[in-house]
């Protein structure tokens, strides 16, 4: 189902009222998230999506890279070019060495006010969500969060689609009266573009006006996340997940065992979090993680729409369910009508023997 937040009749009238200075806003930008030298993959996914939008607009695609000094950011600039950026704005200042909302917001708003992008995309990561909201409120423009689809409509407007009303509807939101049009997208929602090794673009260095004395937040120490058990679902190649069909928290161990043998990650449907059988960082679906593994095994999961949207990007979906009419069989590539509590140990043993 899909709906629209735009009044059916109001669009043409509103367009006439667009301020003249909107014409100065051109091109599509992607904020390239770099933390401790590493580019977050969602930024590369967004460059792939941004490329399509820019081509539709006949505009350029720019990556925005911010950090403390140029040397540590070269890989990010190269990655942006190789994933489709025509140019990269490289904003450097010692104040930007580690992410803090205030200086990053200032640098981004200065960049936007100087070069005026039509569209600005950020990853819906912890950092991206923090930064996007601050930029949008500072610039007094619209931001559509957690989009599942981005397109350009016939009137050059960004059509940002996202679930609404608890996921039962999709709505398409247009930012008609403000610029830039901003959107965030969660990791793995968009496909990773194929990089073009050696592809280079232009580099536009930018020196934001920042002074450490003006920034109230100070970084005292960086503590890397050492929680080795933290779920890395979004980028796992193999994911095994369980649902209410497993019947008990203890049976979730059968999912973990198979995931371990396949050297993959494990997760589950939302009711398992609600029952306290697993933590929320392992929930897969619309209000959990979006995954795009090469193999997804769903055991005792019905395949409700809110679960489906998080897994349908998987290359191969194998569903195990006792009910041949379960909705998961509508989109699984392979289906087994069986008791997951019996089949999971058998699969673990069989794969264990083959992969040993
Ligand atoms: P059930 O719907 O109870 O299905 C259990 C399945 O197991 C059935 O198909 C049954 O035939 C099968 N089964 C039973 N016994 C066995 C057995 N022994 N072996 C094999 N199969 C068996 N859900 C998510 O997963 N992720 C989300 O992010 C998410 N977000 C939501 C957001 C909102 C706003 C709302 C309203 C709902 C959301 N949900 C989400 C919940 C979603 O609508 C479903 O309720 C949920 O996915 C169902 O989980 P389930 O398939 O594990 O359980």
């Amino acid at each position: 189902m899909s709906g629209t937040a735009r009044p059916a009749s109001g669009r043409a009238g509103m367009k006439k009222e667009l301020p003249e200075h909107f014409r100065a806003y051109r091109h599509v930008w992607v904020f390239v998230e770099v933390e401790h030298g590493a580019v977050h993959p969602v930024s590369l996914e967004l460059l792939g999506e941004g490329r399509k939008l820019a081509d539709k607009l006949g505009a350029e695609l720019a990556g925005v890279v911010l950090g403390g000094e140029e040397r540590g950011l070269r890989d990010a600039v190269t990655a942006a070019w190789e994933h489709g950026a025509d140019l990269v704005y490289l904003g450097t200042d010692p104040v930007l060495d580690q992410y803090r909302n205030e200086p990053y917001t200032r640098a981004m708003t200065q960049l936007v006010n100087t070069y005026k992008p039509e569209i600005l995309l950020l990853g819906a990561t912890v950092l991206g969500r923090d930064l996007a909201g601050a930029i949008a409120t500072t610039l007094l423009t619209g931001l559509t969060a957690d989009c599942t689809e981005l397109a350009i409509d016939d009137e050059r407007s960004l059509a940002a689609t996202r679930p609404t009303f608890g996921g039962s509807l999709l709505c398409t939101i247009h930012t008609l009266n403000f610029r830039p049009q901003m959107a965030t997208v969660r990791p793995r929602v968009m496909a990773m573009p194929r990089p073009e090794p050696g592809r280079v673009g232009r580099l536009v260095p930018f020196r934001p006006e920042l002074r450490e004395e003006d920034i109230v937040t100070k970084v005292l120490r960086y503590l890397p996340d050492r929680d080795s058990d933290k779920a890395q679902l979004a980028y796992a190649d193999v994911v095994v997940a369980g649902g209410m069909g497993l019947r008990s928290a203890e049976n979730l161990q059968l999912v973990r065992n198979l995931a371990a043998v396949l050297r993959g990650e494990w997760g589950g449907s939302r009711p398992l979090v609600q029952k306290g059988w697993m933590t929320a960082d392992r929930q897969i679906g619309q209000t959990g993680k979006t995954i795009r593994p090469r193999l997804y095994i769903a055991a005792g999961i019905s395949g409700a729409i809110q679960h489906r949207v998080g897994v349908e990007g998987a290359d191969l979906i194998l569903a195990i369910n006792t009910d041949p009419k379960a909705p998961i069989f509508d989109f699984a590539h392979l289906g087994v009508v069986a008791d997951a509590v019996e089949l999971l140990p058998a699969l673990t043993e069989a794969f264990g023997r083959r992969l040993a």
Side-chain angles (χ1 to χ4, degrees):
M1 275 198 288
S2 78
T4 175
R6 167 199 285 182
S9 58
R11 180 73 208 280
M14 292 177 89
K15 190 164 184 260
K16 277 181 206 139
E17 292 159 24
L18 283 182
E20 180 65 21
H21 71 266
F22 271 23
R23 287 168 203 260
Y25 287 81
R26 295 293 316 274
H27 308 306
V28 178
W29 286 13
V30 172
F31 173 75
V32 179
E33 185 174 325
V34 186
E35 266 203 300
H36 301 279
V39 176
H40 196 294
V42 72
S43 306
L44 307 178
E45 293 159 11
L46 282 180
L47 283 163
E49 204 56 26
R51 182 71 267 164
K52 292 181 212 157
L53 302 178
D55 289 347
K56 181 89 196 278
L57 287 166
E60 286 192 313
L61 174 67
V64 181
V65 176
L66 301 183
E69 42 110 32
E70 202 177 324
R71 206 150 38 98
L73 299 169
R74 276 187 204 136
D75 287 352
V77 171
T78 304
W81 285 334
E82 291 186 345
H83 288 82
D86 299 305
L87 70 154
V88 171
Y89 293 104
L90 179 62
T92 51
D93 189 289
V95 180
L96 298 171
D97 189 35
Q98 296 199 44
Y99 175 76
R100 284 175 291 171
N101 178 285
E102 218 181 332
Y104 269 64
T105 302
R106 288 185 191 203
M108 283 302 291
T109 51
Q110 286 171 23
L111 259 169
V112 166
N113 287 331
T114 307
Y115 294 105
K116 300 188 177 3
E118 203 168 353
I119 293 171
L120 171 57
L121 308 177
L122 298 92
T125 58
V126 174
L127 188 159
R129 284 171 204 264
D130 183 57
L131 182 60
I135 297 171
T137 46
T138 307
L139 292 171
L140 299 177
T141 188
L143 164 65
T144 309
D146 287 351
C147 298
T148 51
E149 209 181 312
L150 299 171
I152 302 295
D153 78 357
D154 294 344
E155 296 175 43
R156 289 182 65 90
S157 170
L158 177 69
T161 300
R162 57 153 297 147
T164 188
F165 288 113
S168 54
L169 283 175
L170 289 175
C171 74
T172 301
I173 298 173
H174 296 255
T175 299
L176 296 179
N177 294 325
F178 303 94
R179 290 293 180 273
Q181 303 159 90
M182 289 183 62
T184 63
V185 178
R186 288 192 299 161
R188 285 304 221 182
V189 168
M190 303 299 180
M192 178 67 78
R194 196 185 290 272
E196 278 184 54
R199 184 180 183 277
V200 283
R202 304 191 317 276
L203 186 68
V204 182
F206 183 76
R207 194 79 194 187
E209 279 178 37
L210 297 169
R211 290 187 326 152
E212 184 60 49
E213 320 67 284
D214 297 337
I215 311 297
V216 290
T217 332
K218 305 293 172 200
V219 178
L220 302 181
R221 202 150 52 107
Y222 172 68
L223 298 172
D225 189 352
R226 293 194 191 283
D227 183 358
S228 57
D229 193 38
K230 208 171 163 90
Q232 302 295 339
L233 281 176
Y235 290 94
D237 274 344
V238 176
V239 175
V240 185
M244 289 308 290
L246 291 177
R247 299 195 298 265
S248 72
E250 289 69 44
N251 283 340
L252 200 53
Q253 186 59 41
L254 305 176
V255 164
R256 287 193 208 103
N257 294 347
L258 180 55
V261 160
L262 294 172
R263 295 183 190 89
E265 272 288 350
W266 68 274
S269 61
R270 182 159 100 154
L272 275 56
V273 178
Q274 290 164 330
K275 285 205 165 274
W277 295 1
M278 62 175 202
T279 50
D281 63 340
R282 295 201 178 266
Q283 180 187 320
I284 298 167
Q286 184 197 307
T287 43
K289 297 269 162 49
T290 298
I291 58 172
R292 282 179 178 268
R294 288 166 64 200
L295 172 64
Y296 176 53
I297 300 178
I301 294 179
S302 58
I305 181 67
Q306 294 90 355
H307 189 81
R308 178 178 179 161
V309 294
V311 304
E312 57 193 354
D315 291 343
L316 184 69
I317 300 174
L318 165 65
I320 307 165
N321 199 301
T322 44
D323 178 4
K325 294 206 174 82
I328 196 144
F329 290 131
D330 295 342
F331 60 94
H333 303 98
L334 297 171
V336 186
V337 178
D339 183 341
V341 178
E342 286 175 13
L343 189 59
L344 283 170
L347 286 175
T348 306
E349 203 194 316
F351 281 119
R353 260 189 276 118
R354 274 193 84 109
L355 300 174

